[in-house]
Amino acid sequence: MPSAYSLERAMGWDSVRRMSATALACSVLALGLFVGPFAQNASADTSGDMLLLNNQLRFAVGSPTIPADPRVVQAAQNHANYSSANGVGGHYETAGLPYYTGYAPRDRVIAAGLTTTFVSEVATGGSALGGVAQLWDAPYHRLGMLHPQATSVGWGYSTLGGRSSVVGDITYDFGFRAVDFVRSPADRQTSIPTSWSGRESPNPLPAGVSGPVGYPIMLIYSQGRNVAMRAAEIVAPNGTRLPIYYAPQEFEYDYQVIVPQQPLAANTTYHVRFDINVSGVMVTNEWDFSTGTTISGSPAPAPIAPPADSGLHSSWAGQTSVPLLQPAATSQVTVSFRNTGTKTWTKGTAGTQVALGVRNDDVSFTALGLNSGWLSANRVAVQNEASVAPGAVATFTFTVKAPFGAGTVKLPLRPVIDGVAWLEDQGVFVPITTVVDYHSRWVSQSSYPTLRMGEVSTPLTISFLNAGSQTWVKGTLGQEARLGVNLDDATWAALAVNWPYTTRPAVQTETTVAPGTLASFTFQIRGPSQPGTYAIHLRPVIDGVTWLEDEGVFLYVTVIP
């Protein structure tokens, strides 16, 4: 590897994670683009092969595979061209030099057309696939490449000026949890390298220590949870605990790395134990891996000939977006996949019809309420087209319903020929974002009733203005406004006269109540069994979603003998 290049990872992405949204909006630099010689682009095969290797490495440790985004690919290729043309390494560019497209990785991704918050970059020299493998072995670079919150990646490779550059740009979303944690090496993973060169910037080894050392071992928890180390150990088969280095946390705090001080033994199974604190919870995470082909000395399985290619393959070709939705609102989505195999997909024919399934047959998204007329709890649609020949595109159209809670849920999808095979898992997902903007303001109410004991009141009405931006819809849970007894106080249940629910005197009278219009709630009440004045605290509520404003609205009931 030329001395001009070292393994380096951009440090800015996690510091960006800790910035406010306002700071993020202001962090984009003005871009001055260099107009010069025709830029070299990595061939589709080169970039695709680098992506494939990255995803194979992710899959082997249990991290979800991720798709390439053409804009992220372009950003990575731009920086690879810059690095090779100018004979420099690193992640930061100087305006005015050939192939300049932005100072930092996030700037270059934005310049390529993708506005995103979290971007990480890894870079080295050497060959395209050799560079990806070398980056993976280095723990701080592996962290970005295998991170479970990664959502897209782009790989670039350049040999401009006779100097090779390998660059990977990765985007992230910390708002969902695809897996709980990722280990590398994974539990019962085999054929792990015995050693690592120790060459990485920043350097995880103590000052003055150089390689070779043992292969680094790491553990990452999802959704940015803080992982604090208490103790760790690597145990050899004879019970010996290997001396280790604890790598300092760089960039973020959701992981821990240990490095054996000496190369590991060949063909040996090791036991790893991490005693850690994960966001305030004490956790012990332990597992085994092997530098040989088997775990715990069991004989290697007899070689098995690889299965013949089934001819069934797919690649993501596009999808429509889902608008921001109020709770329980629905939206139609179409996702497209290209038939990249050699067999035609035929609708209605078992064994050749392609369905769009929820990854891993997960039914939890149906339980969450996203299912709106799907084929089943984990099959959202089948191909629309009667037949899809090799090279053609199939579309899958279905409807999603927004969950009640505010936030974004990512529905992971994958094509499947039921009874035959799942097709490629490219990390495809549909984001469904629920926005809650329900508000009310008291307008008027009937006079307070005076009743005899046990007497039923005349109909009483309380009116509220819809002061939010979302319509109240009668009969739709998550959108229907109801008049509730504050905090579900069931004390007054015995006084109810045909209330729809024990602590809900009424639902909105109107079919729909648009923002800025009035809703009326009409109900009756029975006089308590003892004389006196009774105060019932009332408040609008969208059940399943939120209570609306508490304006101190009361119904005072006076009971006379």
Side-chain angles (χ1 to χ4, degrees), residues 464-536:
F464 289 87
L465 177 77
N466 180 347
S469 64
Q470 296 173 326
T471 298
W472 303 344
V473 181
K474 186 174 183 177
T476 300
L477 184 63
Q479 298 180 1
E480 178 180 72
R482 299 171 178 174
L483 185 63
V485 179
N486 191 45
L487 302 181
D488 290 324
D489 183 354
T491 303
W492 311 106
L495 309 183
V497 178
N498 298 321
W499 291 3
Y501 308 97
T502 302
T503 58
R504 300 291 183 266
V507 301
Q508 64 186 74
T509 302
E510 299 75 13
T511 302
T512 60
V513 180
T517 62
L518 294 180
S520 57
F521 301 86
T522 299
F523 60 99
Q524 292 176 284
I525 192 168
R526 189 183 310 277
S529 58
Q530 296 294 327
T533 299
Y534 298 84
I536 304 175

Side-chain angles (χ1 to χ4, degrees), residues 82-328:
Y82 172 92
S83 300
S84 288
N86 294 292
V88 297
H91 305 283
Y92 302 100
E93 298 185 2
T94 300
L97 291 182
Y99 301 105
Y100 172 85
T101 54
Y103 172 68
R106 181 169 176 265
D107 301 321
R108 296 189 287 272
V109 169
I110 292 173
L114 176 62
T115 299
T116 187
T117 303
F118 308 129
V119 179
S120 172
E121 184 171 87
V122 294
T124 188
S127 67
L129 296 183
V132 174
Q134 184 182 48
L135 289 164
W136 181 269
D137 288 341
Y140 291 147
H141 292 69
R142 195 190 324 164
L143 171 64
M145 294 168 67
L146 68 73
H147 205 293
Q149 305 299 149
T151 52
S152 69
V153 65
W155 285 98
Y157 180 67
S158 178
T159 56
L160 288 173
R163 293 175 289 264
S164 62
S165 296
V166 176
V167 175
D169 284 336
I170 309 157
T171 67
Y172 305 84
D173 183 344
F174 289 84
F176 71 102
R177 183 183 298 185
V179 295
D180 189 31
F181 57 81
V182 176
R183 306 153 166 158
S184 179
D187 184 30
R188 304 190 68 77
Q189 189 174 4
T190 58
S191 302
I192 300 303
T194 58
S195 64
W196 173 56
S197 68
R199 297 177 61 188
E200 184 173 25
S201 175
N203 192 344
L205 302 179
V209 174
S210 60
V213 291
Y215 193 75
I217 299 164
M218 58 197 310
L219 176 63
I220 308 169
Y221 277 78
S222 60
Q223 291 190 299
R225 285 173 288 171
N226 191 301
V227 180
M229 177 65 77
R230 293 185 287 145
E233 62 182 16
I234 307 172
V235 184
N238 63 1
T240 301
R241 286 165 172 77
L242 306 187
I244 59 175
Y245 298 118
Y246 291 92
Q249 288 177 314
E250 298 277 356
F251 314 113
E252 55 193 284
Y253 303 111
D254 56 2
Y255 73 100
Q256 288 290 342
V257 176
I258 58 174
V259 183
Q261 294 185 11
Q262 300 296 324
L264 303 173
N267 300 312
T268 302
T269 295
Y270 290 94
H271 182 76
V272 180
R273 174 172 172 146
F274 277 60
D275 291 310
I276 50 180
N277 184 307
V278 181
S279 293
V281 178
M282 299 299 184
V283 174
T284 294
N285 199 321
E286 49 190 329
W287 70 99
D288 298 317
F289 71 89
S290 175
T291 57
T293 58
T294 60
I295 294 289
S296 299
S298 57
I304 300 175
D309 190 337
S310 66
L312 300 171
H313 299 283
S314 67
S315 65
W316 177 84
Q319 65 191 71
T320 59
S321 60
V322 178
L324 302 180
L325 300 173
Q326 76 180 91

